Amino acid sequence: MTKPLTPAGERILTVASALFYERGIRAVGVDLIAEEAGTTKKTLYDRFGSKDGLVLRYLERRYERWCVFVLAYIETYAIPDRPLAVYDALEAWMHDNDRGCGFVNAFAEFGGTGHPALQVIAEEKGWTRDLFIGLLGDAGFENFEELGGELSLVHEGAVIMRTAGGRDDAIDVARSIARSLMVRGRREMV
């Protein structure tokens, strides 16, 4: 578990998170982050050790916020409806995240480098896949692992097509595909 941040640390992380998401991680320097947060580079380094440490906290916080958001969102749905409710949660999440998936964006910058952020990125993608698997298992699907992997891929594709692909209907289409896959999964159970 990461240690709590001081108020200055919170300001730095909040500013860095917005800048990293909006402009890209490598495009944002520590000078700009410190200036926008109303602090110094020394304070940034004291709180996070390095820019890489700050990047890690940014991705960890984003991961945590996504998990909390989606779990709270789907909680109000009946158990059989929760796998599709993840797409509703995604649509709500995307209202404030118009540059796509922060983890995919970070991977585009760090893939193949061995950067410690890659572990957080992989964990988030695994968590989302495991979420679908668990929800489908709870809903009584026998093929919940295979189907959960499929719904996760459809989910990821929806984010990319909504943002990079410019398709406003991408999440609706993804939800429809997921529903068809679930209907097929139910038929296979009979």
Side-chain angles (χ1 to χ4, degrees):
M1 182 164 185
T2 54
K3 66 180 184 176
L5 293 172
T6 64
E10 281 295 336
R11 280 195 321 275
I12 292 167
L13 182 56
T14 299
V15 166
S17 296
L19 290 170
F20 289 159
Y21 183 73
E22 291 299 320
R23 298 183 188 182
I25 294 168
R26 289 191 173 150
V28 174
V30 293
D31 289 324
L32 177 61
I33 295 167
E35 180 183 326
E36 293 285 320
T39 188
T40 65
K41 285 192 323 186
K42 181 184 181 326
T43 302
L44 185 150
Y45 289 123
D46 287 347
R47 301 306 184 273
F48 300 97
S50 64
K51 183 179 176 184
D52 284 342
L54 180 56
V55 168
L56 222 52
R57 287 294 289 263
Y58 153 65
L59 292 171
E60 289 167 349
R61 173 140 323 155
R62 190 168 185 84
Y63 175 20
E64 178 184 312
R65 286 186 173 164
W66 164 247
C67 294
V68 167
F69 180 86
V70 73
L71 291 174
Y73 195 98
I74 67 173
E75 186 176 279
T76 61
Y77 288 76
I79 289 174
D81 299 328
R82 288 182 181 174
L84 292 178
V86 175
Y87 295 93
D88 297 341
L90 175 62
E91 190 157 28
W93 176 266
M94 294 299 295
H95 285 293
D96 295 326
N97 294 277
D98 61 353
R99 291 192 43 82
C101 176
F103 301 99
V104 171
N105 298 346
F107 185 83
E109 296 193 51
F110 296 120
T113 67
H115 193 282
L118 296 173
Q119 181 178 344
V120 179
I121 295 165
E123 287 174 9
E124 187 276 336
K125 297 304 169 199
W127 182 87
T128 302
R129 183 187 61 251
D130 291 345
L131 173 65
F132 279 111
I133 290 169
L135 294 173
L136 290 161
D138 292 346
F141 284 83
E142 290 177 13
N143 61 339
F144 59 93
E145 287 188 32
E146 178 184 342
L147 185 54
E150 292 171 346
L151 295 190
S152 176
L153 286 171
V154 170
H155 174 273
E156 292 296 327
V159 176
I160 300 299
M161 290 307 296
R162 169 109 177 229
T163 55
R167 288 207 43 186
D168 292 337
D169 67 339
I171 296 172
D172 292 334
V173 171
R175 190 183 299 106
S176 177
I177 292 168
R179 184 177 291 110
S180 295
L181 289 169
M182 290 173 64
V183 167
R184 181 201 73 198
R186 286 273 185 224
R187 279 197 306 260
E188 290 174 359
M189 289 170 43
V190 180

